Amino acid sequence: MEITNLEDAAALTKKFTSRPSNEELLKLYGLYKQATEGDNETERPGGFDFKAAAKFNAWLNFKGKSKSDASDEYISLVEELSTKYL
């Protein structure tokens, strides 16, 4: 399946018939945020909000990656995951 842009890739993830692993979901989240907003400049969430902290760290993993590269990597990951979850 050939995906040409970030929006199509994001839409495709909503059609997955089963849920990707937490690790895969966090990588998708981090790449999407990097592709759409750039480096994570937000404040680190509180210590007991584990979900928010995991998402914050997932985005932080891609610090310094260009929006274009993050977008390309996100699209590639969605294409890969679609073979498992569609």
Side-chain angles (χ1 to χ4, degrees), residues 52-86:
K55 290 170 87 172
F56 178 89
N57 290 331
W59 184 7
L60 205 59
N61 285 338
F62 299 104
K63 187 177 182 95
K65 186 179 289 284
S66 73
K67 288 182 176 185
S68 175
D69 286 348
S71 180
D72 291 345
E73 202 171 318
Y74 179 84
I75 290 167
S76 294
L77 180 59
V78 170
E79 286 175 340
E80 176 189 327
L81 294 178
S82 69
T83 63
K84 287 169 50 175
Y85 298 112
L86 272 182

Side-chain angles (χ1 to χ4, degrees), residues 7-60:
E7 293 76 25
D8 289 348
L12 186 60
T13 64
K14 303 206 180 333
K15 296 179 182 172
F16 287 176
T17 56
S18 58
R19 188 176 187 274
S21 71
N22 284 343
E23 183 180 315
E24 291 165 333
L25 289 171
L26 286 169
K27 187 171 183 183
L28 283 169
Y29 175 83
L31 283 168
Y32 184 83
K33 292 294 275 186
Q34 188 70 24
T36 57
E37 298 184 33
D39 288 345
N40 185 351
E41 304 293 342
T42 63
E43 195 171 308
R44 183 175 291 281
F48 293 105
D49 191 346
F50 299 113
K51 183 176 179 180
K55 290 170 87 172
F56 178 89
N57 290 331
W59 184 7
L60 205 59

